[in-house]
Amino acid sequence: LDRSPKGSLDAPIVDFLSWLNEQDAVVTTSSCSGRIAIFQGSADPSNSKGGEWLLSSHTVVEAEAAWCEMLLALEKRRQENRAEGTLATLLLEPFVLHAECADVATAQQMLGVAREAGFRESGI
């Protein structure tokens, strides 16, 4: 069951999550396959409410297509007088996995595998 705002698992990691959840001592609680996104929000740091996603993809995006999509979205907002005082931010978010383990030994084993795979920000 996925309770994220998106409402579904990320397609690129569905098979991995299925396999991991089949293991006796592990259950995943949250994940993201990684994404590229462009968010338009207030340029004023004290006003962090609201904003709109101009682009959000969990799969490979062609740079030129993403650039064109962003320009079209920004132009539409400019024409609607919704662009002044805003800032478009490019986000490159890596793979994230949260899991619960039945015991410390399993958690330590998962941590070791994650770090060997290059996920240096991993922890228990």
Side-chain angles (χ1 to χ4, degrees), residues 3-15:
R3 294 187 178 133
S4 68
K6 181 178 151 226
S8 64
L9 300 173
D10 294 345
I13 59 171
V14 166
D15 291 342

Side-chain angles (χ1 to χ4, degrees), residues 1-92:
L1 176 64
D2 184 280
R3 294 187 178 133
S4 68
K6 181 178 151 226
S8 64
L9 300 173
D10 294 345
I13 59 171
V14 166
D15 291 342
F16 171 67
L17 295 175
S18 295
W19 173 82
L20 192 56
N21 283 304
E22 288 173 2
Q23 308 310 305
D24 290 334
V26 180
V27 62
T28 60
T29 59
S30 175
S31 64
C32 177
S33 64
R35 73 175 173 178
I36 181 170
I38 301 172
F39 184 78
Q40 182 185 16
S42 175
D44 179 356
S46 68
N47 180 13
S48 62
K49 301 288 183 197
E52 297 177 70
W53 294 103
L54 304 181
L55 171 73
S56 181
S57 179
H58 294 268
T59 59
V60 175
V61 175
E62 295 297 325
E64 189 172 330
W67 182 254
C68 289
E69 191 172 331
M70 182 190 70
L71 290 178
L72 288 171
L74 289 172
E75 178 58 23
K76 178 181 176 191
R77 282 154 184 78
R78 189 191 64 76
Q79 290 175 358
E80 296 169 350
N81 293 319
R82 295 189 300 146
E84 191 170 324
T86 64
L87 178 68
T89 304
L90 173 66
L91 303 161
L92 300 172

Side-chain angles (χ1 to χ4, degrees), residues 20 26 97 99 101 103-124:
L20 192 56
V26 180
L97 174 70
C101 298
D103 53 69
V104 173
T106 302
Q108 289 174 332
Q109 183 180 14
M110 282 189 66
L111 178 60
V113 169
R115 288 190 173 155
E116 285 178 26
F119 295 100
R120 62 181 186 183
E121 300 297 323
S122 301
I124 296 177

